Amino acid sequence: MATTPSTHIIGAGLIGASIGIGLSAEGWTVTIEDANPEAELLARSIGAGGATPFAEPQLVIVAAPPSVTLRLVPEALERFPNAVVTDVASVKAPVLKAARASGSSPRYVGSHPMAGREVSGALAAQGDLFRARPWVISAGDATPESVALVRRVADALQADAVEMPAHDHDLAVARVSHAPQAAASAVAAALGPLGEADVALAGPGLRDVTRIAGSAPEMWTDIARLNREAIEQTLGNIVDALNEVREADDIGAAMAELIERGRREVARIPGKHGGAKREWEAVTVIVPDEPGHLLRLLSDTAGVGVNVEDLSIEHSPRQPVGLTTLWVLPQRVPELVEALEEGGWVVAGS
């Protein structure tokens, strides 16, 4: 088995600490540093890496916000003249430009693990954060050996390595990540004029659309500035589609046409574990809003041998119950409904 490369991580936030924990668990020798001594100490205390960087690490991973990455990548290329340097920033073309300006771009490999959480910091780090998630690798000017070394990181963390030019990556993430954040936040911000009684009417549709609206705004400042052209283009497409509905002579037909287009496209989004998307069917059960009942429902479902592919809970603000929706394979619905009703559950819909 090939020896693992000595690896130094610069940045001890969620992504850097998660990489450190994951690689350490796979037997890699890892050190980690952060400009914030408390963040560095926390990352080291949870197993994200050792304290003293190698004099000559083979691999350096810059895990910092995009604007800071523009400075840290050239600095790392100079500080570690024999190391391959990669980064995990969500925008790639500007970082490649900075690496080229340093004169050491053959040792720089852009990368972007498409994983994260709504919470930040090393306390939220998970060694399995990247499992089965895409990990984009942008070779740029890098040598094949440098690219192979960075691919080993993705492989060790059980991510799905995807090679893509930096410009193509930035355009793609504007569509699948940056614009959805803006759209979700815009929908949530539009709730501003509503009173508490109005917002209490919200159902799972609003919660689904606005889930990522709780993201921390700080990191998006960098992302939007550095990927402005691609984000503007993508938001323009969304605004145009909405304007077509708003300005249509027959708003009903226009709305239906937009929903149909969206229905076709959402079917292309990968499903569970990155595989082909499958159709699930909903079984909605009335569950008392008291300790233990949800656990019993899941236990009863497992007792039938039915796997729950997804789950959502909707609470009524004025009722002591909640609607729990279990998403399961369609062919298992009849036997699940029968078993739950025999067990005393009230099935509200399937």
Side-chain angles (χ1 to χ4, degrees), residues 192-222:
L194 298 182
E196 294 302 317
D198 302 316
V199 177
L201 299 176
L206 182 65
R207 282 191 285 271
D208 288 347
V209 170
T210 59
R211 182 183 62 82
I212 59 174
S215 299
E218 294 80 10
M219 72 171 184
W220 288 99
T221 303
D222 284 351

mmCIF file of all heavy atoms in Angstrom, residues 192-222:
data_model
loop_
_atom_site.group_PDB
_atom_site.id
_atom_site.type_symbol
_atom_site.label_atom_id
_atom_site.label_comp_id
_atom_site.label_asym_id
_atom_site.label_seq_id
_atom_site.Cartn_x
_atom_site.Cartn_y
_atom_site.Cartn_z
ATOM 1 N N GLY A 192 -41.134 39.251 5.706
ATOM 2 C CA GLY A 192 -41.001 40.382 6.614
ATOM 3 C C GLY A 192 -42.285 41.109 6.952
ATOM 4 O O GLY A 192 -42.540 41.409 8.131
ATOM 5 N N PRO A 193 -43.142 41.433 5.988
ATOM 6 C CA PRO A 193 -44.360 42.185 6.301
ATOM 7 C C PRO A 193 -45.423 41.381 7.052
ATOM 8 O O PRO A 193 -46.400 41.960 7.540
ATOM 9 C CB PRO A 193 -44.889 42.583 4.910
ATOM 10 C CG PRO A 193 -43.727 42.445 3.994
ATOM 11 C CD PRO A 193 -42.928 41.314 4.537
ATOM 12 N N LEU A 194 -45.246 40.060 7.146
ATOM 13 C CA LEU A 194 -46.286 39.227 7.768
ATOM 14 C C LEU A 194 -46.199 39.252 9.296
ATOM 15 O O LEU A 194 -45.110 39.304 9.868
ATOM 16 C CB LEU A 194 -46.158 37.780 7.289
ATOM 17 C CG LEU A 194 -46.331 37.528 5.789
ATOM 18 C CD1 LEU A 194 -46.224 36.040 5.502
ATOM 19 C CD2 LEU A 194 -47.658 38.072 5.289
ATOM 20 N N GLY A 195 -47.338 39.176 9.945
ATOM 21 C CA GLY A 195 -47.389 39.048 11.389
ATOM 22 C C GLY A 195 -47.171 37.608 11.813
ATOM 23 O O GLY A 195 -47.128 36.689 10.977
ATOM 24 N N GLU A 196 -47.037 37.399 13.119
ATOM 25 C CA GLU A 196 -46.776 36.057 13.638
ATOM 26 C C GLU A 196 -47.900 35.085 13.288
ATOM 27 O O GLU A 196 -47.654 33.920 12.979
ATOM 28 C CB GLU A 196 -46.578 36.110 15.154
ATOM 29 C CG GLU A 196 -45.333 36.870 15.591
ATOM 30 C CD GLU A 196 -44.078 36.282 14.982
ATOM 31 O OE1 GLU A 196 -43.933 35.046 14.946
ATOM 32 O OE2 GLU A 196 -43.231 37.065 14.497
ATOM 33 N N ALA A 197 -49.140 35.556 13.343
ATOM 34 C CA ALA A 197 -50.268 34.671 13.020
ATOM 35 C C ALA A 197 -50.216 34.230 11.565
ATOM 36 O O ALA A 197 -50.584 33.097 11.231
ATOM 37 C CB ALA A 197 -51.586 35.382 13.318
ATOM 38 N N ASP A 198 -49.747 35.122 10.678
ATOM 39 C CA ASP A 198 -49.637 34.770 9.259
ATOM 40 C C ASP A 198 -48.535 33.750 9.037
ATOM 41 O O ASP A 198 -48.710 32.757 8.314
ATOM 42 C CB ASP A 198 -49.352 36.029 8.433
ATOM 43 C CG ASP A 198 -50.427 37.085 8.600
ATOM 44 O OD1 ASP A 198 -51.614 36.717 8.573
ATOM 45 O OD2 ASP A 198 -50.082 38.264 8.772
ATOM 46 N N VAL A 199 -47.380 33.984 9.655
ATOM 47 C CA VAL A 199 -46.252 33.061 9.482
ATOM 48 C C VAL A 199 -46.588 31.694 10.056
ATOM 49 O O VAL A 199 -46.094 30.668 9.581
ATOM 50 C CB VAL A 199 -44.981 33.648 10.139
ATOM 51 C CG1 VAL A 199 -43.818 32.660 10.041
ATOM 52 C CG2 VAL A 199 -44.589 34.965 9.482
ATOM 53 N N ALA A 200 -47.453 31.654 11.059
ATOM 54 C CA ALA A 200 -47.830 30.373 11.665
ATOM 55 C C ALA A 200 -48.554 29.467 10.681
ATOM 56 O O ALA A 200 -48.677 28.266 10.911
ATOM 57 C CB ALA A 200 -48.717 30.626 12.892
ATOM 58 N N LEU A 201 -49.040 30.014 9.579
ATOM 59 C CA LEU A 201 -49.704 29.208 8.559
ATOM 60 C C LEU A 201 -48.714 28.424 7.700
ATOM 61 O O LEU A 201 -49.123 27.600 6.892
ATOM 62 C CB LEU A 201 -50.554 30.112 7.648
ATOM 63 C CG LEU A 201 -51.684 30.893 8.321
ATOM 64 C CD1 LEU A 201 -52.354 31.808 7.306
ATOM 65 C CD2 LEU A 201 -52.703 29.944 8.942
ATOM 66 N N ALA A 202 -47.422 28.704 7.848
ATOM 67 C CA ALA A 202 -46.402 28.082 6.996
ATOM 68 C C ALA A 202 -46.448 26.565 7.111
ATOM 69 O O ALA A 202 -46.587 26.011 8.203
ATOM 70 C CB ALA A 202 -45.021 28.595 7.379
ATOM 71 N N GLY A 203 -46.309 25.922 5.961
ATOM 72 C CA GLY A 203 -46.275 24.470 5.915
ATOM 73 C C GLY A 203 -44.921 23.964 5.468
ATOM 74 O O GLY A 203 -43.948 24.715 5.361
ATOM 75 N N PRO A 204 -44.818 22.687 5.157
ATOM 76 C CA PRO A 204 -43.523 22.102 4.766
ATOM 77 C C PRO A 204 -42.975 22.688 3.482
ATOM 78 O O PRO A 204 -41.755 22.702 3.284
ATOM 79 C CB PRO A 204 -43.835 20.603 4.621
ATOM 80 C CG PRO A 204 -45.317 20.536 4.432
ATOM 81 C CD PRO A 204 -45.881 21.669 5.214
ATOM 82 N N GLY A 205 -43.845 23.189 2.586
ATOM 83 C CA GLY A 205 -43.340 23.773 1.342
ATOM 84 C C GLY A 205 -42.442 24.959 1.610
ATOM 85 O O GLY A 205 -41.343 25.071 1.041
ATOM 86 N N LEU A 206 -42.878 25.852 2.471
ATOM 87 C CA LEU A 206 -42.058 27.015 2.802
ATOM 88 C C LEU A 206 -40.790 26.594 3.524
ATOM 89 O O LEU A 206 -39.704 27.125 3.251
ATOM 90 C CB LEU A 206 -42.854 27.993 3.665
ATOM 91 C CG LEU A 206 -42.103 29.275 4.042
ATOM 92 C CD1 LEU A 206 -41.804 30.114 2.808
ATOM 93 C CD2 LEU A 206 -42.900 30.092 5.056
ATOM 94 N N ARG A 207 -40.898 25.640 4.428
ATOM 95 C CA ARG A 207 -39.708 25.190 5.138
ATOM 96 C C ARG A 207 -38.704 24.549 4.190
ATOM 97 O O ARG A 207 -37.490 24.740 4.318
ATOM 98 C CB ARG A 207 -40.097 24.220 6.255
ATOM 99 C CG ARG A 207 -40.651 24.931 7.484
ATOM 100 C CD ARG A 207 -40.770 23.961 8.665
ATOM 101 N NE ARG A 207 -41.917 23.071 8.473
ATOM 102 C CZ ARG A 207 -43.141 23.362 8.887
ATOM 103 N NH1 ARG A 207 -43.378 24.504 9.500
ATOM 104 N NH2 ARG A 207 -44.129 22.514 8.705
ATOM 105 N N ASP A 208 -39.199 23.782 3.223
ATOM 106 C CA ASP A 208 -38.293 23.164 2.254
ATOM 107 C C ASP A 208 -37.558 24.222 1.432
ATOM 108 O O ASP A 208 -36.346 24.139 1.224
ATOM 109 C CB ASP A 208 -39.071 22.238 1.311
ATOM 110 C CG ASP A 208 -39.536 20.959 1.986
ATOM 111 O OD1 ASP A 208 -39.050 20.669 3.103
ATOM 112 O OD2 ASP A 208 -40.393 20.269 1.421
ATOM 113 N N VAL A 209 -38.303 25.216 0.960
ATOM 114 C CA VAL A 209 -37.715 26.234 0.087
ATOM 115 C C VAL A 209 -36.719 27.111 0.838
ATOM 116 O O VAL A 209 -35.715 27.547 0.277
ATOM 117 C CB VAL A 209 -38.824 27.100 -0.546
ATOM 118 C CG1 VAL A 209 -38.235 28.318 -1.256
ATOM 119 C CG2 VAL A 209 -39.640 26.271 -1.536
ATOM 120 N N THR A 210 -36.972 27.366 2.117
ATOM 121 C CA THR A 210 -36.152 28.317 2.866
ATOM 122 C C THR A 210 -35.158 27.663 3.806
ATOM 123 O O THR A 210 -34.525 28.348 4.615
ATOM 124 C CB THR A 210 -37.051 29.260 3.690
ATOM 125 O OG1 THR A 210 -37.840 28.477 4.598
ATOM 126 C CG2 THR A 210 -37.971 30.074 2.785
ATOM 127 N N ARG A 211 -34.970 26.355 3.717
ATOM 128 C CA ARG A 211 -34.073 25.675 4.671
ATOM 129 C C ARG A 211 -32.702 26.317 4.736
ATOM 130 O O ARG A 211 -32.158 26.555 5.809
ATOM 131 C CB ARG A 211 -33.934 24.190 4.297
ATOM 132 C CG ARG A 211 -33.048 23.402 5.267
ATOM 133 C CD ARG A 211 -32.893 21.967 4.826
ATOM 134 N NE ARG A 211 -32.251 21.863 3.526
ATOM 135 C CZ ARG A 211 -30.933 21.920 3.342
ATOM 136 N NH1 ARG A 211 -30.111 22.104 4.367
ATOM 137 N NH2 ARG A 211 -30.412 21.805 2.134
ATOM 138 N N ILE A 212 -32.098 26.633 3.600
ATOM 139 C CA ILE A 212 -30.738 27.177 3.613
ATOM 140 C C ILE A 212 -30.713 28.677 3.870
ATOM 141 O O ILE A 212 -29.639 29.284 3.929
ATOM 142 C CB ILE A 212 -29.994 26.863 2.297
ATOM 143 C CG1 ILE A 212 -30.744 27.440 1.092
ATOM 144 C CG2 ILE A 212 -29.789 25.365 2.150
ATOM 145 C CD1 ILE A 212 -29.965 27.288 -0.211
ATOM 146 N N ALA A 213 -31.880 29.286 4.046
ATOM 147 C CA ALA A 213 -31.907 30.724 4.333
ATOM 148 C C ALA A 213 -31.317 31.029 5.704
ATOM 149 O O ALA A 213 -31.033 32.189 6.002
ATOM 150 C CB ALA A 213 -33.338 31.256 4.239
ATOM 151 N N GLY A 214 -31.116 30.019 6.523
ATOM 152 C CA GLY A 214 -30.489 30.222 7.824
ATOM 153 C C GLY A 214 -28.983 30.247 7.787
ATOM 154 O O GLY A 214 -28.333 30.331 8.835
ATOM 155 N N SER A 215 -28.379 30.195 6.599
ATOM 156 C CA SER A 215 -26.921 30.187 6.472
ATOM 157 C C SER A 215 -26.312 31.483 6.991
ATOM 158 O O SER A 215 -26.928 32.548 6.917
ATOM 159 C CB SER A 215 -26.521 29.988 5.008
ATOM 160 O OG SER A 215 -26.985 28.754 4.511
ATOM 161 N N ALA A 216 -25.081 31.382 7.490
ATOM 162 C CA ALA A 216 -24.370 32.575 7.949
ATOM 163 C C ALA A 216 -24.049 33.463 6.750
ATOM 164 O O ALA A 216 -23.536 32.981 5.735
ATOM 165 C CB ALA A 216 -23.081 32.170 8.665
ATOM 166 N N PRO A 217 -24.352 34.759 6.830
ATOM 167 C CA PRO A 217 -24.160 35.633 5.660
ATOM 168 C C PRO A 217 -22.704 35.986 5.364
ATOM 169 O O PRO A 217 -22.385 36.332 4.226
ATOM 170 C CB PRO A 217 -24.946 36.894 6.035
ATOM 171 C CG PRO A 217 -24.962 36.906 7.527
ATOM 172 C CD PRO A 217 -24.994 35.464 7.959
ATOM 173 N N GLU A 218 -21.818 35.853 6.352
ATOM 174 C CA GLU A 218 -20.465 36.372 6.167
ATOM 175 C C GLU A 218 -19.744 35.742 4.978
ATOM 176 O O GLU A 218 -19.140 36.441 4.155
ATOM 177 C CB GLU A 218 -19.636 36.157 7.445
ATOM 178 C CG GLU A 218 -20.104 36.952 8.652
ATOM 179 C CD GLU A 218 -21.293 36.301 9.354
ATOM 180 O OE1 GLU A 218 -21.632 35.139 9.011
ATOM 181 O OE2 GLU A 218 -21.883 36.961 10.242
ATOM 182 N N MET A 219 -19.800 34.424 4.864
ATOM 183 C CA MET A 219 -19.033 33.771 3.796
ATOM 184 C C MET A 219 -19.578 34.097 2.415
ATOM 185 O O MET A 219 -18.856 34.050 1.417
ATOM 186 C CB MET A 219 -19.014 32.258 4.002
ATOM 187 C CG MET A 219 -20.314 31.553 3.721
ATOM 188 S SD MET A 219 -20.099 29.767 3.755
ATOM 189 C CE MET A 219 -21.724 29.202 3.281
ATOM 190 N N TRP A 220 -20.868 34.458 2.337
ATOM 191 C CA TRP A 220 -21.462 34.727 1.036
ATOM 192 C C TRP A 220 -21.009 36.056 0.452
ATOM 193 O O TRP A 220 -21.114 36.277 -0.760
ATOM 194 C CB TRP A 220 -22.986 34.661 1.140
ATOM 195 C CG TRP A 220 -23.434 33.246 1.308
ATOM 196 C CD1 TRP A 220 -23.770 32.614 2.458
ATOM 197 C CD2 TRP A 220 -23.513 32.258 0.275
ATOM 198 N NE1 TRP A 220 -24.068 31.298 2.208
ATOM 199 C CE2 TRP A 220 -23.923 31.053 0.873
ATOM 200 C CE3 TRP A 220 -23.274 32.285 -1.107
ATOM 201 C CZ2 TRP A 220 -24.106 29.886 0.151
ATOM 202 C CZ3 TRP A 220 -23.468 31.117 -1.829
ATOM 203 C CH2 TRP A 220 -23.871 29.938 -1.202
ATOM 204 N N THR A 221 -20.488 36.949 1.284
ATOM 205 C CA THR A 221 -19.934 38.201 0.776
ATOM 206 C C THR A 221 -18.787 37.911 -0.178
ATOM 207 O O THR A 221 -18.730 38.418 -1.307
ATOM 208 C CB THR A 221 -19.439 39.078 1.941
ATOM 209 O OG1 THR A 221 -20.512 39.320 2.844
ATOM 210 C CG2 THR A 221 -18.898 40.401 1.434
ATOM 211 N N ASP A 222 -17.861 37.064 0.261
ATOM 212 C CA ASP A 222 -16.716 36.677 -0.573
ATOM 213 C C ASP A 222 -17.160 35.969 -1.838
ATOM 214 O O ASP A 222 -16.704 36.271 -2.947
ATOM 215 C CB ASP A 222 -15.780 35.735 0.202
ATOM 216 C CG ASP A 222 -14.928 36.472 1.222
ATOM 217 O OD1 ASP A 222 -14.930 37.718 1.204
ATOM 218 O OD2 ASP A 222 -14.268 35.797 2.018
#
